[in-house]
């Protein structure tokens, strides 16, 4: 039934996660008399929407066809003309939609426009799966801020390093490979200046096949970032530094000469993270993988800026007073703690990963 | 890694099973710098190959890209120009292939041609899955005969009808829905004249969304097919009748006037099924779903013309001397029986289905 | 909780299936202050009940203990004194019961008796599991007839032998081993004279460790059983022959001299199977594993004398007009067929086994 | 086969875990001619061994029977006469043993004795399962120290309490119920004086049915234990306090007057935990469930005194600088951390539990 083709559309949309910036991941299948005649997905911001690719492939067979699309076709002129108009022009017979537009101001308009032109529209097919796929887009649309996924890896006693700072390697290869996939699936990677000063990481994706290099975001209130660090020297990806207004202007100038973008967020001694999210949203960063130390993770969590969490645990007990994954003032009562919902437990070699959505009910 | 993109290519190829006639099901994904830039599948015989659709979608981004394709690109001029040449012209950097061409006379030529032009080629990625997908194509290429899947449904005591002929309904809705999916996935449906005379079936696909109507093949040695039967009257699909040379010529003429194609296969009183398979192959029928009575199923099996079997069992005991699924002279020794391998057991509601490949070792 | 100890009691009861003749399988655990102090199961008809074994093991610790027993303690004098009285005498504090007595004339009496003497009684703990365990006992109590389990093994085309009679070996070792376990778990094995004449089987259990030898029951209307056959010559188990009144008296005398018991059931030319079940019940046969040919299986089924069915299927197609598992006149309409419920599918090597309860709704 | 009866013996042995003090858990099944005739388990230290219970139940049927026992029968006079002699006297035919005696000085003697008297002995049946069951006994035999299982429950950020000390309730009901089962399965429960001063716990088992009350062990170097605390006032279980030699003698006298046992372990200001384990071993404590705070857990771990670990995680992030599950100086290099092996992940409601054996390779 309809599920069959919508699932294929979702598979194509899912495969392109990480490559559409602030745009949603959308897939489209065109079916004519029981035959698939067009396939498409939105592949790059500013380029053709999923429907356009699929209708191009279908050619003349689009006429009287049924079009399966995971997100309601757009009805407004953006970087590309509205897909609803294209569908009307192609004289398709029916459009099957998984999820309506998450932007409440636009939701339903595309569908209404199709119906006005006599095209039958079915909605709600595999809606749940489609909604999960566009959660980052939905958040960006409704708040103007990027969707933030936190990833951390610790021992079973919650340490991300030994007392002397050794953190190589907490988790094994299988977990680390998955982290590179996570990076590929986000628009940006965010880390604190502490991590940069200690490890001088490259903060890019190292997949068996080349991945997109996400934007690197460094939280660096006082602009301590050394010009010699890899995230400055390596030009394969943009580097954005978040600084407080108090940071020295000459350091900003020096970094900018080296191609680094500096974003001032907040007057205090430390970066105002909520303002930073607004600023990153204005820069059209749609999703961020946060790989911070305990302080940055804790601050982001405290300000409810995190949308999803992956906690990797290695089967080790390290002891000592090394740092943990989350450093924030916290709650007096256990009952008020942040809860994780829709919990999933996945094994990666001898490590395992707990993931879920934080619920900030009692902050 | 490479598996990630090849799996997407296989999903698209798989989705188009049943719509490419004698052509193989092939999927293609073009990836440039970690970004999917093209998607394609072979969707219809005589139309663009998977690579062409995907390269069209990729446009200028094909240059220096990696191309994942489930089957070795063709290097000969068929109904469309060779894909290997197109890949060379687009100056892609690398081609990843799941399965080489099953035609031994052509196997490896496409890959060699790419390499001659400096394109890196990786083979064997998800090869097993890709080989299963093109089994019907491989058989057709090597034998000139269609790939035959037998489907039958019986009670637990092996009856396909009661002693008085009642066969409605052995299996439940869920199993019957799957049979319509099976029909959609084959180029033709084959039944015996007995079934037509008794049930006057339409032999088409009744899916929740319209499916392709496979060619109907009726085994009717003496041309007893009534002109008033549904398979004659309903013109939504081709109907081919297999008859013996002994069948009356005037009946053939009458049926042909009604649009039915008649194929003479064999001089004896009954259709020579092996010759029939050759003839159907020459008609470019690539795959057949056999839904025969016991006699036709048994004859096909006896002549080793069946490539895959689905046996549906309803949880019933009907008794009586009604017909069974297989009526053939059989083997004297249990040890010589046809075995089914790669057995799978799947539940459909309260029915279940055993499927596997017949092994004719001891015939 | 209570489940913990009752599960252990059920495990012990289950382990003794096949060794209590017409008596139920019962397990018992005595717990005193959080410590198991007694374990018992009913192990042999005429010997101690489960409660007695467990209380004997507990000794003085039975006082004020909690007693977990899978079946309501008996309150009547049978071959052993009533267990309810023993529990009262031991001054246990509480009795936990899984299933009440299936005999409606006795059900609840044991529990009432305990309560009258101030013992707390909890019922219904793991009741479902306990009821399944005593199904044969429940049937025997309510009908006076043995519980009959049918076992058959055929090819996928429903044949139990080739056209020439070869039936060695349809199923593989794993399935055959399970059949010997099934034999061990029944009070008697039943076969037709046809099977005896053809295969001269021993009809005993061949387990890796010695099993009990069930009573052998041969359905032999005309007393054709050869004195030289194994089931006569081998004295390791009782052999009972069911014959019609028309069978020759001298043959009966000859068999009886050889130790065979002959039971006359019915005046017609063939054994009246319903009467035979009554007679076997009067002989205190509690459960039978039926391993008949098609005719015997069919007649038993037609007369609704079968309580559970195991159908083994070997992944083979043998063809020919060999016999099937069920030979009976059957039903005109598919809708009236006997249904199997609570279906289970289990793999045994490359064979598989479908088992379930026959529902005779429409006979 | 032999597995069938040994599995039943193991089930009975397993059911009695927690009630045999320093004695091993052993089960026994006696089988005569395919019929179970005796069942037994070791139920209490000083009382009958498993073989004795089972042979008592079997009575005269023990002669020529096969005896399945999960641990090699004893051949020395302990609190009860040697089981090997009893088996010889009963003239059993065969003994099947799962695991040989873990005490290397005794291992094989029982088996040799049986064989000398013409009894066939089979070993190694379900040996792995049997060895796991007697791990605590094996450790006690070889080291003279109790087997220690650590249990802790924390948030996902590794806290066992909020910064203000709130720890009620980290985990949900399902996890807490399992902890009471764990307590029941150990000979003693061990906690630190900090836990007693803060929470004044009762440290007993609260199971739906009454459980044995394990010995309570309080690590209290300076004998700060208040006479009014529950572990002193509640006399349902023994309470043992571990103190340093430096603790005031008058406090010891006061506690002893209240029925508390005081054990001096070590001259320093803090209890010498390794010496304490020796002392507890001399007191014939066979197994301990450690439910300490971070300091006690860490010290025990550091000294390699822990044999198994259960880590419960609640799906919460509490933040703050509350205590963690393990407080010890730890390792400089991640590579040297204690690893957990044979890891298992089990869900308890929305909590989950990681359990495994610590491997102290690099200390
Ligand atoms: Zn659009
Ligand atoms: Zn091609
Ligand atoms: Zn009783
Ligand atoms: Zn002993």
């Amino acid at each position: 039934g309809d599920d069959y083709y919508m699932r294929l559309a979702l598979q194509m949309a899912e495969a392109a996660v990480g490559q559409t910036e602030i745009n949603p991941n959308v897939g489209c299948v065109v079916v004519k008399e029981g035959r698939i005649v067009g396939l498409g997905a939105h592949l790059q911001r500013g380029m053709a929407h999923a429907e356009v690719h699929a209708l191009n492939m279908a050619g003349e067979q689009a006429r009287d066809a049924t079009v399966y699309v995971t997100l309601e076709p757009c009805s407004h002129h953006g970087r590309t003309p509205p897909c609803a108009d294209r569908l009307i022009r192609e004289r398709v017979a029916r459009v099957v939609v998984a999820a309506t537009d998450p932007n409440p101001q636009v939701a339903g308009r595309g569908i209404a426009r199709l119906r006005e032109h006599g095209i039958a529209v079915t909605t709600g097919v595999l809606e749940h799966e489609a909604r999960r796929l566009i959660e980052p887009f939905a958040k960006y649309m409704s708040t103007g801020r990027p969707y933030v996924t936190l990833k951390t890896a610790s021992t079973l006693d919650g340490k991300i390093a030994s007392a002397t700072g050794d953190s190589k390697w907490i988790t094994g290869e299988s977990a680390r490979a998955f982290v590179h996939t996570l990076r590929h699936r986000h628009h940006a990677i965010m880390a604190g200046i502490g991590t940069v000063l200690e490890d001088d990481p490259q903060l890019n994706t190292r997949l068996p096949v080349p991945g997109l290099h996400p934007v690197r975001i460094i939280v660096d209130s006082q602009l301590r970032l050394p010009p010699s660090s890899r995230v400055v020297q390596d030009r394969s990806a943009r580097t954005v530094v978040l600084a407080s207004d108090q940071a020295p202007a000459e350091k900003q100038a020096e970094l900018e000469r080296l191609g680094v973008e500096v974003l001032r967020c907040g007057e205090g001694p430390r970066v105002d993270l909520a303002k930073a999210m607004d600023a990153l949203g204005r820069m059209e960063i749609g999703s961020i993988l946060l790989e911070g130390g305990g302080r940055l993770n804790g601050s982001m969590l405290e300000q409810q800026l995190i949308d999803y969490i992956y906690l990797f645990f290695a089967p080790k007990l390290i002891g000592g007073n090394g740092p943990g994954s989350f450093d924030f003032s916290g709650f007096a009562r256990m009952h008020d703690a942040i809860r994780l919902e829709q919990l999933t437990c996945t094994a990666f070699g001898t490590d395992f990963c707990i993931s879920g959505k934080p619920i900030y009910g009692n902050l």
Side-chain angles (χ1 to χ4, degrees), chain A:
Chain A
D2 284 339
D3 281 22
Y4 179 83
Y5 298 110
M6 192 61 85
R7 201 165 299 284
L8 177 62
L10 282 166
Q11 285 168 339
M12 292 187 298
E14 164 72 27
V17 166
Q19 63 182 58
T20 59
E21 306 192 0
I22 57 166
N23 276 13
N25 287 102
V26 185
C28 182
V29 175
V30 183
V31 179
K32 174 77 167 289
E33 288 165 11
R35 177 196 304 280
I36 296 171
V37 294
L39 299 168
H42 183 48
L43 299 175
Q44 184 164 8
R45 188 178 172 215
M47 309 292 275
H49 287 190
E51 299 94 318
V52 171
H53 280 309
L55 290 169
N56 285 349
M57 194 184 296
E60 295 183 0
Q61 292 182 288
R63 191 154 178 177
D64 292 325
T66 298
V67 176
Y68 295 84
V69 59
T70 60
L71 181 65
E72 177 180 3
C74 63
S75 60
H76 56 280
H77 282 268
R79 298 192 176 196
T80 57
C83 291
D85 291 6
R86 171 75 183 264
L87 289 161
I88 291 161
R89 209 164 58 241
E90 297 277 359
R91 301 204 204 164
V92 306
R94 180 173 167 243
V95 173
V96 182
V97 169
T100 51
D101 199 299
N103 184 343
Q105 295 189 304
V106 180
R109 284 203 200 162
I111 289 167
R113 187 150 173 70
L114 294 171
R115 285 186 173 140
E116 280 162 23
H117 287 75
I119 296 173
V121 180
T122 303
T123 59
V125 174
L126 300 183
E127 181 174 354
H128 183 72
E129 289 85 340
R131 286 218 174 284
R132 284 196 49 182
L133 192 62
I134 55 164
E135 264 180 43
F137 171 67
K139 179 179 180 190
Y140 186 80
M141 276 295 113
S142 60
T143 66
R145 288 179 176 176
Y147 184 92
V148 180
T149 302
L150 181 148
K151 168 256 142 184
T152 185
S154 74
T155 61
L156 286 171
D157 51 342
K159 306 293 185 188
I160 61 174
S162 75
T164 61
D166 183 33
S167 63
K168 285 206 165 30
W169 296 101
I170 293 182
T171 51
E173 265 189 45
S174 168
R176 295 205 305 271
F178 181 69
V179 170
H180 280 280
T181 298
L182 278 181
R183 287 182 175 180
H184 172 77
R185 293 169 70 92
H186 286 82
H187 195 171
I189 304 171
M190 178 164 154
I193 182 65
T195 303
V196 174
L197 293 176
E198 271 167 52
D199 300 341
D200 192 17
Q202 205 154 347
L203 289 182
N204 59 5
T205 54
R206 280 184 296 272
L207 290 170
V209 292
L212 287 173
H213 292 305
V215 176
R216 295 175 289 217
I217 301 168
I218 314 297
V219 181
D220 182 14
S221 299
Q222 297 305 326
L223 286 176
R224 296 187 287 153
L225 181 62
S228 61
S229 61
R230 290 188 187 178
V231 295
V232 176
Q233 293 296 325
D234 169 39
R235 301 291 177 90
S236 66
R238 279 167 73 187
T239 296
V240 175
V241 174
L242 307 177
S244 126
D245 293 354
Q246 300 181 3
E250 58 282 12
K251 190 64 191 294
Q252 173 169 351
E254 181 187 6
L255 288 170
E256 285 175 348
R257 273 193 303 275
L258 291 161
V260 171
E261 299 162 65
V262 177
L263 225 55
R264 299 280 181 164
C265 316
E267 302 164 1
R270 297 185 59 188
V271 164
D272 180 327
L273 290 166
K275 281 192 181 162
M277 291 303 120
D278 288 330
L280 291 166
R282 283 190 300 270
M283 283 179 68
E284 302 193 329
I285 301 288
S287 63
I288 296 175
L289 182 68
L290 171 60
E291 303 189 65
R295 211 95 68 94
L296 178 54
N297 290 348
S299 302
M300 288 287 287
L301 199 63
E302 211 161 17
Q303 295 180 60
Q304 308 191 22
L305 299 173
I306 291 171
D307 299 294
Y308 201 82
I309 294 182
Y310 288 94
L311 297 167
F312 288 86
F313 284 101
K316 295 172 185 170
L317 296 166
I318 183 76
N321 57 0
S325 293
F326 298 94
D327 184 353
F328 65 113
S329 58
F331 307 93
R333 297 194 315 152
M334 193 52 73
H335 182 260
D336 297 331
I338 296 166
R339 276 175 302 113
L340 261 60
E341 293 204 340
Q342 300 174 30
L343 231 65
T344 304
C345 184
T346 315
F348 288 91
T350 62
D351 307 314
F352 55 92
C353 179
I354 308 298
S355 58
K357 269 173 130 54
I359 306 295
Y360 300 97
N362 297 295
L363 274 168

